[in-house]
Structures are given as structure tokens and as C-alpha cells.
Amino acid sequence: MLETARGAVSALRALPPPAADTGVPVVLCPGLIGSKEDFLPLLPALAAAGYRAYAYDYRGHYHDDRTDDHSIRRHAEDLIAVLDAVGGADPPHVVGHSYGGFVVRAAALAQPRRLGSAAFIGSGPGMDGPKHRKILGGFDHTLSLEGNAVMWPVVRRLVPEDDVARREFWRTRLRLMRPAFVRGALAALAGESDRAGELRATRLSLLVMHGHRDRKLWSAAEFAGYAERAGATLAVIDGASHSPNLERPGVTAEALLRFWAGTDRRRALRTFVDLVRPSAHADPYPAYERLRRVAPVLPVQLPGKTEAVVLTRYADCARLLQDAAFVSAGEAPELLTPTWRDHRLVRCLYQSFGWREGPAHLPLRTALARRLTPRRCPVQQADVVAVAASVLDDFAAQLAGGATVNLADAVAVPFASLVTGRLLGIPDADALRLGAAARAGSAAFEPFMTPRQRAAMAAAGDTIIDTLSSLAGDGLPGPAHEQGLPGSVREQGLPGSAHEQGLLGLVREHRPGGGEQYQGDLALLYGAAYDSPASLITLGARLLLEHPAQAAALRDDPALADRAVEEILRFDPPVQVAVRIATEPCEFGGVPVPPGTALLGILGAANRDPSYTGNPDAFDITRRTARPPLSFGTGRHYCPGSALARTHARVLFPMLLRRFPGLRLAGPPRFRAPGTMLRGIEDLPVVNREAC
């Protein structure tokens, strides 16, 4: 029995194997003289395809449920209760055979958002015309005279004579069938008109299916006209009549699966379009999970851009990043951004080493990687600790008296800016100014922006490029590291910004001719060094404050910091999407990918792939994984500064939690917008309860 909010119903259930489970339910509604067993021949194929299939009997069909209301409206309300009971991450696909088609139609018209799609098998436009009223009236009259036995000839035509077991099953069913149900349903059918226009208006995916010999109630032309008026797909099953689910179950299942595959793909496309809108995404992970289950390899047409393929599984995204057949988008920028030359920051970044291959990429990337080893890095852990202590001193002053403070502005931006300044050899005042600009400039590679966001990005780009070019080309003034730095840091005499200590000079050595490629390298170097650590701090602080038990564990045992940082990177990474271009024919999950296709690997989805780690939607700082998350990439474009970014977080989080054990969220965070490619938090309001 299946328990629903409107009572229990008798149901059959077929669950898919775990590896194939899409999480999408299917609910099957039988006909007037049918039962849930009408769908038994379909269930194995539906389950094998990954669907959770439920076939059920109407309440009162075979047993007394203390009501004589057997209207289509009443059974549609019961159907909606069944949809709620079977759950699922997505609304169920619903199938109705014969009378069940009218029940499904009524539910779809009443609450279309509760259905993923609707399929009508042997169920046509309406039955309120003279012809159908005569048929229904004659059936009702005969039923009143002869009882349920009048339906045996119908069953006998469907069940072969040598199938003794099924014939006996149906004899038993006819004995149990309540005449009140049948007669109530017949009366309800007589009032059903053609509502195809209303169905079309729901914008649901619809399928009209019938056997090619099904002619008793509607002609083939009437079925086809109904499908056209409703905006439905039409499927005609050869070798079948009114019950193709019984007569040709294999072909019927194939037709349903084709229909659902198209429906699921369109739903996935809508999900993806929502993800790339130029807005803030507070929680994109349910959408990622839906894409990974239903369409893990999703061909899309980016509006105004190229065709692309979206990948959401860990194995696919890892292959995308590691295989030399897929190159960075800077090798063909017009595919992803046709107007890439129109904006200075975008134009320069696409030419930078991080977005190129071969000689434009490898020498500078290799030189940077050598300078960013623990021994040679211009910024050592002691430097990071000192900057963190100074920033937290200022943070404490802002929190005094129970004030609500934006942790992003008070901690993440100054901390990441100052450490990045020391890494690149930039004066502190300039580093802080660049950090503020980089927040707006991070939109440079977003697929879509509003005009206001684009203008802010362009202005920020000019600030970033002009400032870095000046610093790298003209040398640095004297004690510049003291400019704009909190007094507590100046007093400690931290290593400042001596030009030879920074990395801007390294870029100039590799790009002696200057130009836009050189400017792009400078902008990319600052942006990558600043943005991921800053976002990692805000995203990680939010997770730790939302999970106080995890925060307490890290506070009590700072040795957990390494694993805590890895879990933050896995659970909510700053870099959400990696873009590559295919250079040769290939395929992912059976989907062909021609050369010149853009591929978008959603790293945030890959890191939560159940095939990568168990219980992926749980935040657990003690988690161990056999392979690292893809948050900093992998392969030849693996981020050379990943170790430093981890050091930022590994130092800051234990210090923050130990110094402010009463720190609490004071409101919902405001996430970066647009935030499709790069994720971060612009406003993370916090309060220190112990200070109140």
C-alpha cells in the first residue's frame, strides 16, 4: 500500500538499480476496467532506464472506501496526492491509460507544475458528443442489467486463451470491481469535452499514444487532431489496439522513454539557462544535481553564442581538464564570446597565459610554478599569519558593541588583497584598491551580464590593467608597503614590496614586448591570486558558521585545517566552471562532440558526484577522498598558486574561530552577481555574540 495525504492506495513499485537512478518518478494510472497490473509489462524497462515507476489503483475501484464520488475531479485530486507521496527531486512523469488519461488531464489542468509531463494512452479529445454519450449510455445500461460480467469479452480479447493465469487473474478482478466505481466513472466521462486548448496553455510536455487499430472511440484522424491542438507529441503503436501497454509493451515502453528523454532534456536546458542568468545564485547545487542525474552530458545552444556541451560528472570533467584534445578558450575566444574584442579586460585576459596553450602558456606558467614552491615563494606562512592577525585586530574593533559587520569587506577582501600584494610586490594601498576592483572585474568571463554589470566590469578592468602596468613597468616607490596598511602590521616590520620579491617582474621578463598579452598576464596573475582566496574565505566562513559542530571541531583541533580547506573547496568551490574547446572528434556519454565545440565542465557539480565521494551533499571537514576535488583544476592548467590559496585558508580559519568563538551569522549572505563561473559572497553579515 502507498500512503498518501488522501488515504492509502494499492500500488506496484519498480525501482531502478542505483547506478541508473535518475531520481525521477513515473506514476501510471489505469483505465476504467483496468488495474495497476496493466502496467506490469512496462515496469522492468522503465526501471532499467532509471525511472522510479509506480502503478496504482484508484480508491474505490476494487474496495469500498466509503464514498460514491467517482468523478474524474475526485480521482485527479487523489492522483495529485500520489504525486506528493512518491516524491522525487523532479515532478513525476504521469501516464494515463483510457479513463486514466482523463484523470491525468484533469490533474494537469488543475496543477500543471506538479507534473513533469503527461502521456495519454488510448485517451482522446472528449466524450460529450452524441456518439460517445450513446456508447457510454449503452455500456451503463448493460452493466446495470448484467453486472461486471459484461466486461469479460473485452478482457478476453486482450488476454490469449492459453494464458490461463492472466485470465484467472482478470476473472477475480471483475468479481472484485465495484459497479459503483464503473458507473460513476461512466457518468463523469460523459461530461468530458475537448480541452486541448487548455492543455496547450499549461506548456506541459504532452504525449498522445494509441494503437493503430484503436478505432472504437476515436479515429486515427481524431487522435492526431487532438495531439496537434494540444501541442502534444503523437505516437502510434503498430500491432496494437486500445491497450498497447498490454499488447506491445516493449514498443510502448520505448515510445515513453523517447518522449521522457526529450522532456528531461528540455527541462535540463531550462535548468541550465537559469544557471547562466546574470544573477546571484544562492544555492546552485540542487540544479547541478538535477543536471547530473537527468542529463550529465547536455548539448546546449548558448543564446547569441556557440553550441556547447555541459558536463556535470567528476570523471567527465577530469577528462576534460587532463586530455590534450581539449584546449583553453583563448585558442578560439570567438566561440564563447563573439564580442571578446569589445572590452579591454576581456580582450587582454583571453590572450593571457592562463587561457592559451603551448608557447603562450607553458613557459610563464612553469616559471610561476617554480617561484610558488614553499621554499621560493615570496610570501611565507609567517607573513600570512601576521597579515591575518592585523586584519583580525581591525575586525575585532568593528565587531565591538555587538555591531553587525560584513565579513567579506572586513576580513576576506583586505586579507586576500594584502597577501596578494606581498606575493606580487605591490604596495598595500594599491593592493587594497585592486582587490576592490577585482570584485567587479571577476565578471569578465561570465557568459551573460546586465549592462550595468558590464559597465562595472569594464571600469574595473581599466583600473586593474593601468595600475598593474604602471607598477610593473615603472618600478615601485620606497617604503610602499606601509601605505594604507593597518598600524599593527607596520609595527611588525613585515617584508614589504621590494620589487625583486614580487612576481610582476617575472611576467615582464617573459613578455618583454609588452602589449595586450602582457597586460592580460598581469591582470590574470592578480585576479587569480586574489579572487579565489578571497572567495574561499567568504564561502568557507559561511559554511563553518552554518555548521557550528564542524567549526567547533576545527577550533579545538587546528590540525584539521588541511582537511577542512579541502572540504570547503569540494563543497562550495570559488571556481564553478572550466571551459575548453574540442580540437578533434570525441564523445562523452554517447553524445558526439565535433571539433570546435565548447565544453563547459561544471566543477561544482563534479565535486558532488556520488561516484566521486559518498554522501556528497554533507559538509564534513573530516572527509577523506581518494582523489582531490577539481576546484583548482587538474592537468597542465592546474592552478600554480593553489598551495598558496590553501595556505591563506589554512591559516585564517583556525585563527578566526579561536579568536571569535561567539561569531554568528546575522543574516542571509548576498552572493556575487553574476556568479555562474566564479562564485563568491559580497555580503556576509556576522555578529560576535560574546561581545553583546
Side-chain angles (χ1 to χ4, degrees), residues 26 74 108 125 136 161 164 168 204 232 266 270 273 334 341 368 400 412-413 415 463 557 576 588 624 627:
V26 169
R74 177 264 175 122
L136 294 174
E161 190 172 350
V164 177
E168 185 56 35
L204 266 173
R266 287 190 293 274
R270 289 194 295 270
V273 168
E334 65 283 351
R341 295 184 183 278
L368 287 168
V413 172
F415 175 69
T463 297
D557 183 7
Q576 291 279 300
F588 284 88
R624 293 183 184 274
R627 295 161 291 174

Side-chain angles (χ1 to χ4, degrees), residues 78-114:
D78 285 352
L79 167 57
I80 290 169
V82 170
L83 303 185
D84 291 339
V86 302
D90 296 302
H93 297 303
V94 188
V95 180
H97 172 225
S98 190
Y99 172 77
F102 289 100
V103 174
V104 172
R105 186 173 75 170
L109 291 173
Q111 298 197 39
R113 293 182 180 274
R114 308 287 279 279

Side-chain angles (χ1 to χ4, degrees), residues 545 548 555 660-667 684-690:
L545 295 179
R555 182 185 303 113
F660 304 101
L663 197 65
R664 299 290 184 270
L665 293 175
L684 187 65
V686 296
V687 64
N688 190 16
R689 294 297 183 196
E690 291 189 353

Side-chain angles (χ1 to χ4, degrees), residues 438-449:
R439 298 171 79 176
S442 67
F445 287 112
E446 291 292 339
F448 301 101
M449 286 178 272

Side-chain angles (χ1 to χ4, degrees), residues 233-469:
T233 301
L234 179 67
V236 183
I237 307 300
D238 290 336
S241 185
H242 188 63
S243 302
N245 45 302
L246 291 171
E247 301 162 276
R248 297 292 305 280
V251 179
T252 301
E254 289 174 5
L256 287 170
L257 293 174
R258 282 195 303 271
F259 169 62
W260 293 334
T263 299
D264 291 341
R265 190 161 48 249
R266 287 190 293 274
R267 187 186 301 165
L269 284 170
R270 289 194 295 270
T271 297
F272 176 74
V273 168
D274 287 341
L275 286 170
V276 298
R277 294 185 191 281
S279 56
H281 302 293
D283 186 8
Y285 296 98
Y288 292 166
E289 192 264 345
R290 191 177 309 123
L291 290 177
R292 193 178 55 245
R293 282 187 294 101
V294 175
V297 182
L298 177 66
V300 301
Q301 175 66 57
L302 296 173
K305 302 178 186 292
T306 186
E307 293 182 357
V309 173
V310 179
L311 307 174
T312 46
R313 292 184 293 212
Y314 184 94
D316 290 340
C317 290
R319 174 188 164 195
L320 179 70
L321 297 174
Q322 293 168 342
D323 193 330
F326 307 107
V327 298
S328 291
E331 297 299 305
E334 65 283 351
L335 291 177
L336 197 68
T337 310
T339 60
W340 70 281
R341 295 184 183 278
D342 294 350
H343 300 283
R344 184 185 182 195
L345 179 60
V346 176
R347 187 170 65 247
C348 292
L349 285 173
Y350 264 129
Q351 299 175 70
S352 68
F353 75 95
W355 289 80
R356 298 296 305 281
E357 300 289 343
H361 162 251
L362 189 58
L364 180 52
R365 192 245 181 233
T366 301
L368 287 168
R370 288 173 179 164
R371 287 290 302 274
L372 291 174
T373 60
R375 184 176 63 85
R376 299 187 64 197
C377 182
V379 175
Q380 297 294 308
Q381 181 161 326
D383 305 327
V384 178
V385 170
V387 173
S390 173
V391 169
L392 293 181
D393 284 344
D394 291 345
F395 184 45
Q398 294 178 55
L399 288 168
T404 297
V405 178
N406 177 4
L407 187 144
D409 286 340
V411 177
V413 172
F415 175 69
S417 299
L418 293 171
V419 174
T420 301
R422 278 156 176 68
L423 177 69
L424 271 63
I426 295 175
D428 295 319
D430 288 319
L432 291 167
R433 185 160 58 92
L434 285 167
R439 298 171 79 176
S442 67
F445 287 112
E446 291 292 339
F448 301 101
M449 286 178 272
T450 66
R452 178 176 295 181
Q453 291 164 349
R454 186 172 291 106
M457 178 274 296
D462 287 340
T463 297
I464 293 168
I465 293 171
D466 291 342
T467 301
L468 290 172
S469 297

